[in-house]
Structure formats: structure tokens, C-alpha cells
Amino acid sequence: MKKFALFTIALLTIIMTNYTESHAAGNVKISYEVKFPEAQAHYADIEMNITGLMQNSLDLKMPVWTPGSYLVREFAKNLESFSVEANGKTIPFIKTRKNIWHINTTNLSAIKIRYRMYSFEISVRTAFIDVTHAFLSTSGMFLYPDGMLMHPSTIHIVPYKGWDKVSTSLEMVNNDPFTRTAPNYDILFDSPIEVGNQDVFGFKAAGVDYEVAMYGGGNYDKERLKKDMAHIVELETAVYGENPNKHYTFIVHNYSKGGGGLEHLSSTVLGASRNSYNTETGYQNFLALVSHEHFHLWNVKRLRPVALGPFDYDNENYTTDLWIAEGFTAYYDNIVVQRTKLYSTENYLGVLAADINIVENSQGAKIQPLSQSSYDAWIKAYRPDENSANTTISYYNKGSVAALLLDLEIINDSQSKYCLDDVMKYMYTEYYKLKKRGYTDTEFKQGLEKFAGKNLDSFYQKYINGLDAIDYNKYLGYAGYKLTDDLAASNNPTLGIKTVAAGTNVKVTGVGRGTAGWTDGINVNDEITAIDGQPIADPKNLLGDKKVGDKITVTVTRDGQSLNLPVTLLRNNDFKYKIESIDSPSAAQLAVRKKWLSL
């Protein structure tokens, strides 16, 4: 009885504490003002105002990573000049963790926080500011009050001189483009902001208004982009049966050489090469990037692994399913472009073969299972080193290959009734819309099995959690195709190294596992100065007319000392695969091919 009474008192205390904190948070109003008085030095000055406080202390936090990019980036490293003010007086604070500032708010209902953010890293994941524009990657710019992630906030932007546009998926306040609102911090941190003089145009597709904000110029054709991007949107919407947005924003950063993208809930940021839009390869690559990041608005932003939301912004969020979230999206980015019929089937098969070549020519594919590649993204995928190719496999490339195999398996086993599209739509409906949560490993596997009509334990054991060699011809054979290797009959020697020019010599940047260089001790950072005593005549053809089995002497400079390394040349075991039709495919194979390639 006594224990029960004590337990009841403790429980009531917890309930009342939670109620008080919730009630206090409910009265709070949060706003930010962002200025760029020193844009030329890459700074944003941010003022954060919090009113309605009814608590004795407050912790302000800075996320350590940005959703969609699985690396702890320590955004707080860019923050400086933190200060707190209330009632016209400076308020003391204590930094209690790398990304937490603790403030005593006893008897304070309102506080003003000022800080500066240095922003000079060009990528789709990080903020960048100069006199031409500001790209605010919001998770790396805005502090948030601990315990108030679900709280709304407003952001007012004071543009640098001459800037006249804001592009973001955040809603305007009172039709003011420079004042935006976020219903909670998950949405704020998932809504990057572009400020400047970007070229803005739009189109409507799948009932949704789309804005394209082009920074950096380029030889793009707006009318062509509107048409082709709209086509991609319509095709991807057809996979899921609905487009959940009211409006969507593409922020495109055009540089002399650019690439990459980062998905968000109702927007994306793309990196592109400004002068590549008028080449067939460049334009196709851009459309595939558009396709990839836009497909994420369903796959990963809504249909997601259970670990990826709600987010923990202080720590890594681990999942073994990035091969689905990213790899399946990498598969769809190209097959959706194939469905537009802008390019030939042969072109698409070439893109698939390129993915297969990347996987099969990676020594890491023999070391790291696909599921482990997903889990280790936080420590390996975004921190590659000179040995990464020997120890890791990309969940993008191999995940795309896995999606290809599963798509063909489902089409074949269902007699062309179903395909991977049906799995994606089912999982989206079942977990995002109905269960309103992410899926587990087992649940996604069950979704695949539902449409394959069979148990996929063996597939997972071999290709997802294991290291078995992939039987490509089994799966491609369902559609009457086969994989052939153009290098199968070659007997070319290789050192198995990667190099860059170093004056008249070459510097080693990578050594492939099991190659001659690996076996006989050539190291990364060695500078090769001679082969068999002869200075390097052609850095692109170190071996000249040497043959497999030849014993040579490689002279290198290592740490300022010259070394002679005896090396026995081995055969180059790289593959150069292509996908070709088999002779006289059957009616069943042609039916699978038609379903798969939308012929």
C-alpha cells in the first residue's frame, strides 16, 4: 500500500511536470531575423527572439547533421559571437555540450539571442554565402529550444544589397516573400532557403505548382526543362498514385563543375554544371538528378525506414535500409527517364551496365554487405579514404542493382502482372498513410514478397546481408537479355594502382586489393620515378609493352627516399560489361521486357 502511494505521488509529479512544461512551451513564440552585413566575408547574422517563457532554464541546440546526408557535420563549429539579452541586459549562459547553450531564464518571459554563422562550404548539404547569393541549409543555421521541436517559428530575411528573391518551400507570412513560417522544426530543418537574384520559373504537374530557382547562370533551355521536368513529375506521381505537395521548389546551383543533390520534404537542392545542359549526356544526367531527388519526396521523406524519423538531431540515426532509401531511388532515377522516351532503350541499358561495372569492379563489394554499407554510412560513406574502394560498397550503386534484380524477379514471378512500382505504392500507402510510421527491415521484405509471391530469404541472405556473386544472367534472362564482358578475352598487365600526374612523374592515389601493386608493396603517396630504371615517358602508359608475368622494378620516392620495388605484373581483372538481347527471346521473356521497360 505504501509503495503504491509513493508510486502514485511520483506518477502525478511526472504528469504535472510534463503538463507544466507542455503548457509553458505552448505559450512560447519563436522568431528569427537573418541579415548579411558581411556577405563578402561569408557571414549571416541571426537574431532569435523567444517570448512567452514560463520556465527557469532553457537549452538551445544546433543540429549536428542534416537529414538526407548521413554524416555528423558539427554545424556548431561555424557559430560564433553567441550572446543573450533580456530586458536590455546581458544574460549569462553556459555551453554544456558541443552544440548546446544553457541559459538561466528564471523570472524571464522573453530573451533575445544573437549569433553569427560562417558559411563558406559549397555543397548541397551546407550553407554558403557571398555577395552573389546566400544558400541557407537550415539545419546548419538555426538554433532550436530543447523540448520544442514541434513548435512553430517565423524567419524574416533582410536581404543583402541588390538581392530581390527568396526561394524555399516554407510558406510566406502575409504574402511577404522575405518572411516565412515553419509549423515545426522538422519542417524548418527540411526546407533550405535560397536568397539572391536567382532566375525563377515554374510549371504545373500532377496538380502541384513547381518552382525552379536557378543560381549561377547556364545554357539551359527553360521551356525544354519545364516540359521534361513536368513529365518526370507526372511519371513518378503515377508510381505512388498521388503527389502529397501543394507546391515544390527546385533550388539549382550551377557551377563550372557541379553535381549532387539533397532531398527535402517539399523541395530539393541540385548541383549542376552550368554549360552542360546542351549536350546529350549532360542533359540526361541533369534529368536523372531531377528524377532522383524528386523521387525522394516519397521514398525516404515519407516512405521511410523506421529509424529515419522522428529525428535525433544530436546523434547518428542508424538504419540498415539506405540501400532501399537511396539505392531504389538511384534505380528509379534512370528508369523514370527511360519511361519519358527521351532516350533510347540501348542508352538505358548502357546506364544499367555502368552501375553493374561499378559494383563488380569494386573490391569492397567482396568485403562489405549491402545492409552493412547502409549502417556504416555515418563513418564510411561520407568519409572515403585511399582504401575505401577496397573495403566498402556504395549503397547507391549496389542498392540500384538490387532494385533491378527485384523488379525483374517480381515481373517474372507474377507473369508480368506486378513490378517494383506496386511494392512502392503499397508500402507508401500501408506505412506512411495508414500506419503513419516508418517500416522495419522485415516489413519491407514482406512487401517485396507480397508481390513476388514467394519467400525472399535466399535473395536477402546472398545479396543484401551476404557477399555472394550476383547471378546477373538469371535475372536479365527473365527479360531476354544477357550480360557480356568486353574484356573477358583480354590479357593486359596492370599494376592495379590509381595515379595523378606529379611533374614528370606520377603519384599513387590508390592501390587495388589483390593487384600487383598491392601484393608487391606499392603504397599510396609513393611517387613513381622510373620503371626498370627508365624515367617515366608516358604517365598514362607506365607499362609500355610489358606483359602479364613480367618481373619489373618500380622505382618510387617515399618520404624523401628512393626505393626499388620488384613487382610481378598480373592480369587486369576489371570487367567491362554490356547488356545485350539474347537470340530469339521467348514470348514470356518479351512480355517481361515490355512490362519492365514500358515498351
Side-chain angles (χ1 to χ4, degrees), residues 68-278:
S69 182
Y70 307 102
L71 175 68
V72 172
R73 295 182 182 274
E74 310 292 20
F75 294 121
K77 71 181 185 293
N78 297 318
L79 187 151
E80 61 184 74
S81 302
F82 183 94
S83 66
V84 187
E85 177 185 312
N87 301 320
K89 297 180 180 180
T90 299
I91 302 299
F93 64 89
I94 301 173
K95 191 171 184 181
T96 59
R97 195 172 183 264
K98 62 184 179 181
N99 66 323
I100 300 177
W101 290 258
H102 178 79
I103 305 167
N104 185 339
T105 56
T106 302
N107 298 322
L108 297 177
S109 62
I111 58 173
K112 185 189 304 290
I113 303 97
R114 294 188 178 95
Y115 60 96
R116 311 189 80 199
M117 293 301 299
Y118 181 70
S119 307
F120 193 57
E121 183 178 351
I122 294 177
S123 85
V124 296
R125 312 166 190 90
T126 50
F128 181 88
I129 298 168
D130 68 8
V131 294
T132 65
H133 79 131
F135 171 62
L136 308 182
S137 182
T138 45
S139 58
M141 296 296 290
F142 295 108
L143 296 168
Y144 70 94
D146 188 27
M148 299 187 195
L149 278 174
M150 297 309 296
H151 222 73
S153 60
T154 60
I155 303 95
H156 178 65
I157 295 169
V158 179
Y160 186 68
K161 58 186 178 184
W163 294 354
D164 60 6
K165 296 184 183 74
V166 173
S167 296
T168 180
S169 60
L170 293 173
E171 300 289 349
M172 286 187 282
V173 176
N174 297 325
N175 292 316
D176 177 5
F178 290 93
T179 304
R180 304 288 177 141
T181 184
N184 57 60
Y185 279 95
D186 284 331
I187 289 179
L188 175 59
F189 294 151
D190 214 9
S191 305
I193 304 170
E194 176 73 18
V195 190
N197 300 305
Q198 58 271 22
D199 181 18
V200 177
F201 58 93
F203 60 89
K204 197 174 188 75
V208 176
D209 291 320
Y210 280 79
E211 175 184 316
V212 182
M214 289 282 196
Y215 164 77
N219 59 6
Y220 52 87
D221 180 334
K222 293 183 190 179
E223 295 308 312
R224 186 183 183 194
L225 281 175
K226 288 179 188 179
K227 178 183 176 182
D228 293 341
M229 291 173 74
H231 198 178
I232 287 170
V233 169
E234 297 282 359
L235 287 168
E236 291 185 346
T237 301
V239 173
Y240 292 94
E242 68 170 20
N243 192 316
N245 289 298
K246 293 181 180 178
H247 55 83
Y248 188 96
T249 302
F250 287 99
I251 298 172
V252 185
H253 292 154
N254 292 299
Y255 294 102
S256 59
K257 291 184 179 179
L262 187 63
E263 71 277 2
H264 297 283
L265 193 69
S266 301
S267 63
T268 188
V269 186
L270 310 178
S273 299
R274 65 170 62 95
N275 293 318
S276 65
Y277 291 93
N278 63 351

